[in-house]
Every structure is written in structure tokens, then in C-alpha cells.
Amino acid sequence: MDPIDDIELSEEEEEITAETVLKTLQSAWQNERLAPEILPHHNDMVECMLGQIQHMERNINKLPKTDLRASIHKMELSRIKFIICNYLRTRLNKIEKYCIHIINEERQRMESGTNYLTPAEFKYAQEYLLNMESHLKNVVLDKMPGNMQTLELNKMAIYPNLQTHVFLKANDTVSCVVLEDLVGDQDEEIDLEEGSQHILQYKPVADLVKTGKVQLV
Amino acid sequence: MFAEKVIELLKEAERNPDTIDPFNDEKIRQILEEMHLLFKMNMNDANATNENKSLWTTVQVRHSALERNKRCLLAYLYDRMKKIKTLRWEFGSVLPPDVRELLSDEEYQWFSKYSTNLASYMRSLGQDIGYSGIDLTENLKPPKSLYIEVLCMADHGKLELEDGDVITLKRNSRHFLPTAECQTLIRQGVLKQIV
């Protein structure tokens, strides 16, 4: 179909898919912002949305500048762009902060094929760590006495605090979430009902967040 | 006293948590000197302890001082790296000369490497679908409105907008521009938003 035909029509057609994509992206963004550790990437969603944006931008450009629809759509687009940028930026921040930890974990995950980072992100993380190492070496480490020159990465690593508490909402009914008792050994089991909200420690629900059964709020 | 200078260094850095201080070359040199001195003394004593265990404690204390010096120096550099990173997000890949002066040569190198790495990551975004990448340093704040009124703070010359219009940015002139297109200029201080 010729895209010039009618902007309304083409919008209508995509609405069903584009909307779900946007919703998934939004919840991924929300989870990423609130979770202490890095989550599996949603690169397909990002790319799909980018394609969608491109398409809509082309459509908008065909409208006259003074058209009200154009400015409303533009506003919507800039909101979506913000979400994408912020989502990617949040991930980058986490990658930089927990660099050593993430690279180590990711190497193991890559073997099992369940990588959390996109190839580009992984490359970025490695490069970042490399730059940091060489900088530290050049500036001080190489000038230190012989037995002090090694950079102990394990000592430098920062780990995300998985014990932190999060607000969450259950998308599905999940039964038997085990809450570990760190002090004693009285583990507690709870059930999450669909639509209910809780404040829990992040660690026991980490897997549920990754599979999308609960949403952080 | 052992490791005293390094604490001074960290305290100085801590005094301005939001801004970056000039790189303290001199102090770092002194600290490294102290470390070499400690190391030398340790070597001498360690060789002597083979027969005499009484120096062993001294060696240990000096060794912990060395460790501490190292740890603190790394912390100092790491903290500065964090600040330099924010500079990349604020100013883009070209630093204003007054900020550039605050960094040491090595730090500037690190900055350029960081900048290149970030740029190549941003270029790779959406490449599979024929996108030429996204600039993540735009859209730092949630968009409130499509257009904003800005006051021009400096002569910047011509600016071509996305729709092909060309406007001239002159000092003290006011413009009504699309938010997305003047964010970078606002951060660089050429434009100022008028509420």
C-alpha cells in the first residue's frame, strides 16, 4: 500500500501491534529503572519501535506543518524517543557501574546462550573495562613499587545490592515464592495474587521480574 | 606518617563532590615517592629478618601502608573517571578549554577513548533496520512541550532546523524552537530557556 494514501488508515492498522510493543517497552523500561541489577535486554522491541518511529516520522512530514495532528503525533514520538533513550541509558549506567561483575556473569551466560546484553552492549562493556584498566595502569600502577603493580579486578568490582527492597505488582498469580530468612532458618513462603502489590526484597523475585510475571512499580 | 598524603588527596577531592578539581599531579608524585621509600625500607628489613624476626611487624605495617596508598590512589582516579564521564554527557565529545585544563593528559586520553566507545555504541543502535544510530545524549529530560522559547546568550551563527529553515542565532535574540533541536545548544550555554 502506498504510505501516502492516508495517515489515519495506516495508523489504525499498526495500532494493535505498535501499542503492545510500546507497552512491553514501557514495562521493560520501568523494570530496568527500578531493578538493582541489569536485566535481559529487549533489543527486538527497541528496534521494532525505532522502525515504527521512522515510519511515523515519514508520515508526519507529509502533513502540512500547521496540521494539529502533526504536532500531537510529534509530541507522542518525542515521548517514545525519550523512553527508548532513557532505557538504553539506564542500561549503560548499570553496565559501567557493575562492569567487572557484569562481564564475568555475561561470559557464563553466553555459554548457555542466555545473554542479557546485546552484542553491542557487551562490546561496549569490554572496551570500557579495558580503557579503565589501561588508564589506571598508566597513571599510577606502573609507577608503583614492583609488588604493588597488579590491578586486582576482584577487589575493584562493585556488585549490585540484590538485598534491596522493591515495590512490585504481580501480573500473574505466582505461588510459593520463597523468602529466605537470613538470620535464622525459618524460610517463609508467600503467594502473589494477580494484580496484588507488595514490597519485597529483590532477590527472591529476581527471576519473576525477568520472566515478566511481576512488574516493578 | 604513613599514608597521610593520600588521605589529604581524597579529602580535597571530596570537598567538591559535583565539580572536578585540577588533577593533583604533585601530590600523586609525592605519594608514589612515599610508596617507593616504604618499599625500599621493607626490602632491606625483609632481607634482614631472615635471622631476626623482630623486624617482621614493622614490615607488615609498612606493607599495609603500601596497600592503603594503592587503594586510595585507585579510588581517587576512579572517582575522577566518574566525573569525567558526566562531562561527556554534558558537553559532548568536545570539551570547553577551561574544563580541558582540569584534566591530566592521560585523563584526556581516557576521555577521548570513552567518548569514541560511546559514540560507536550509539552508532550501532538500530543498525539492523537501517538506522544510523541514536544520540543518547539528547532527550536527557522527559519532554514537556514540543516548542520552547529560548534566549540566545552568544553569537552562534546560523542554525539549520530539521525542516530546512535556517535561523541566525544572535546574542540577545529570542526564538521559538523545537525542544529536541535546541537541547544541545542549551547545554552548551548558547541558548537559555525562558519560562
Side-chain angles (χ1 to χ4, degrees), chain A residues 47 54 65 71 75 82 85 89 96 120-121 124 127-128 131-132 134-135 143 145 147-148 150 152, chain B residues 36 39 70 81 85 89 113-114 117 121 124 128-129 131 136 138-142 146 163 165:
Chain A
E47 289 197 343
Q54 226 175 11
K65 257 191 207 171
S71 50
M75 192 63 211
F82 171 74
C85 282
R89 219 164 32 230
E96 284 173 3
E121 278 171 338
Y124 179 80
E127 189 83 0
Y128 178 78
N131 284 343
M132 192 167 82
S134 72
H135 178 64
K143 293 170 191 153
N147 63 343
M148 291 283 138
T150 48
E152 290 142 301
Chain B
H36 277 285
F39 182 68
K70 176 183 172 186
M81 274 196 264
K85 270 195 300 197
W89 292 92
K113 277 191 204 155
Y114 176 75
N117 191 23
Y121 170 72
S124 76
D128 299 344
I129 51 160
Y131 235 60
L136 293 179
E138 276 176 22
N139 302 319
L140 282 181
K141 288 193 196 113
L146 211 48
D163 53 14
D165 289 351

Side-chain angles (χ1 to χ4, degrees), chain B residues 10-99:
Chain B
L10 288 186
K11 275 194 179 152
E12 261 169 41
E14 208 185 18
R15 221 166 278 155
N16 307 321
D18 304 322
T19 54
I20 192 157
D21 290 332
F23 187 72
N24 204 335
D25 234 344
E26 180 56 27
K27 195 145 261 168
I28 286 184
R29 205 182 50 76
Q30 287 173 3
I31 294 164
L32 286 172
E33 237 164 52
E34 183 193 307
M35 288 181 78
H36 277 285
L37 192 68
L38 284 171
F39 182 68
K40 225 176 176 179
M41 285 154 79
N42 253 2
M43 286 304 275
N44 287 340
D45 287 354
N47 289 336
T49 41
N50 284 333
E51 307 95 54
N52 181 4
K53 291 274 175 223
S54 64
L55 289 171
W56 192 238
T57 354
T58 331
V59 172
Q60 292 248 302
V61 170
R62 288 199 198 111
H63 188 75
S64 352
L66 278 170
E67 293 261 350
R68 186 176 177 77
N69 270 331
K70 176 183 172 186
R71 181 106 188 87
C72 293
L73 275 181
L74 290 183
Y76 176 71
L77 290 182
Y78 185 76
D79 188 56
R80 285 184 66 89
M81 274 196 264
K82 270 204 288 195
K83 284 177 182 170
I84 299 171
K85 270 195 300 197
T86 52
L87 294 180
R88 171 63 180 86
W89 292 92
E90 268 169 46
F91 295 109
S93 54
V94 183
L95 286 180
D98 55 329
V99 180

Side-chain angles (χ1 to χ4, degrees), chain A residues 5-45:
Chain A
D5 261 356
D6 189 356
I7 189 169
E8 297 290 346
L9 196 71
S10 58
E11 291 281 295
E12 202 74 35
E13 253 181 12
E14 281 150 13
E15 205 131 72
I16 312 142
T17 51
E19 211 182 295
T20 35
V21 172
L22 182 60
K23 273 211 179 117
T24 332
L25 198 62
Q26 261 170 342
S27 66
W29 171 52
Q30 224 174 335
N31 279 341
E32 194 70 63
R33 297 268 302 173
L34 295 163
E37 61 165 349
I38 194 131
L39 300 175
H41 69 85
H42 285 265
N43 203 27
D44 42 348
M45 289 296 149

